[in-house]
Amino acid sequence: MLKKMMAGVVTAGLVGVAGTAHAGKDLDAVKARGQLVCGINTGVAGFAQQDDKGKWTGLDVDVCRAVSAALFGDSEKVKYVPTTAQQRFTALQSGEVDVLSRNTTYTLTRDTALGLEFTGINYYDGQGFMVPKKLGVKSAKELNGATVCVQPGTTTELNLADYFRANKMTFKPVVIEKVEEIRAAFYAGRCDVYTTDASGLYSTRAANTPAPAKPDDFIILPEIISKEPLGPAVRQGDNQFADIVRWAFYAMVEAEEAGITSKNVDEMLKSDNPSIKRILGVTPGMGKALGVDEKWVYNIVKQVGNYGESFDRNVGMGSPLKIERGLNALWTNGGLQYSPPIR
């Protein structure tokens, strides 16, 4: 009996050791540099776009800012590296970037064979089709024989082929790597259809329709033909760094659920709610468990905002895109955004 009890004590001790955060080479490199290097899109309104002063903004950019706030207490210690669809994985694998936050679909093969680790889903999306209204097309089922603009090296390219084959239709692909060039080709009439994630179509229509054409001259067809869970990824091999990226995003979701915003976060520090005190570090422990400052969530929410604030200003009703929350609403509001508890 004594031996069994001692074995239990030893096992419990080992579990405790296994649960302690240890910095790996990626986290050490980021800390030594004093800056997070984040791979983003070359320019998609609402997700990653430079303003007229050269400042990057967007839903994916806010993930990078949240990680920086958690690590350094400062959301602006980020270097942004624009990457194309074909460059992005090599950039992460080679160490050119620390995190990839670039409208990237979480799939089994990307999570395994490419040596990546996805750390969450910051936007639930699906592939759609955009066409000029003048074509008179009302459904994707009417696109037999169409010329379709699509980016190579994407899940979009594979889904497109699968959808047309499944529906016994033919199409002619116009494959262009750079998003700016593919938009130009679509608007110039080189293809009948532009296909990508629906969020990208709304972004393109709202922000990139060239004059004298108007956004209303183009329609996004009702069919969504795939699941596209988009989220940040890191390299496999540094569990603590992956945890920090993962929980920096979850903190934004958890803050929204708890009613903590960038405007009321200072007042929330005085809350008597045990959960809010733990989240904001008034009751210490969560920062130590993650290997960051106890004010990590406070810094994220104060400087970046909660998930709802980020969604609204970048892609939602407070933005030109006017995208409904839909699947990206909190689980308490019928959506899929759900954070494990910060406890």
Side-chain angles (χ1 to χ4, degrees), residues 10 14 20 24 28 45-46 66 76 83 90-91 114 124-125 201 209 242 246 282-283 288 312 314 325:
V10 171
L14 289 173
T20 302
D28 286 341
E76 298 306 311
T83 61
T90 304
L114 293 186
Y124 288 91
D125 209 347
L201 297 178
T209 300
R246 177 178 295 111
V282 176
T283 301
K288 181 180 180 182
D312 183 66
N314 289 306
R325 284 291 290 267

Side-chain angles (χ1 to χ4, degrees), residues 174-198:
V174 176
V175 181
I176 302 173
E177 181 179 354
K178 292 185 178 178
V179 68
E180 299 86 353
E181 293 176 7
I182 203 167
R183 288 175 188 146
F186 172 69
Y187 285 122
R190 283 183 56 195
C191 46
D192 306 309
V193 186
Y194 177 28
T195 185
T196 188
D197 297 341

Side-chain angles (χ1 to χ4, degrees), residues 116-137:
L116 309 184
E117 182 173 352
F118 283 82
T119 59
I121 298 168
N122 71 323
Y123 193 91
Y124 288 91
D125 209 347
Q127 184 174 333
F129 300 94
M130 182 164 68
V131 297
K133 187 180 289 184
K134 65 184 180 183
L135 287 185
V137 173

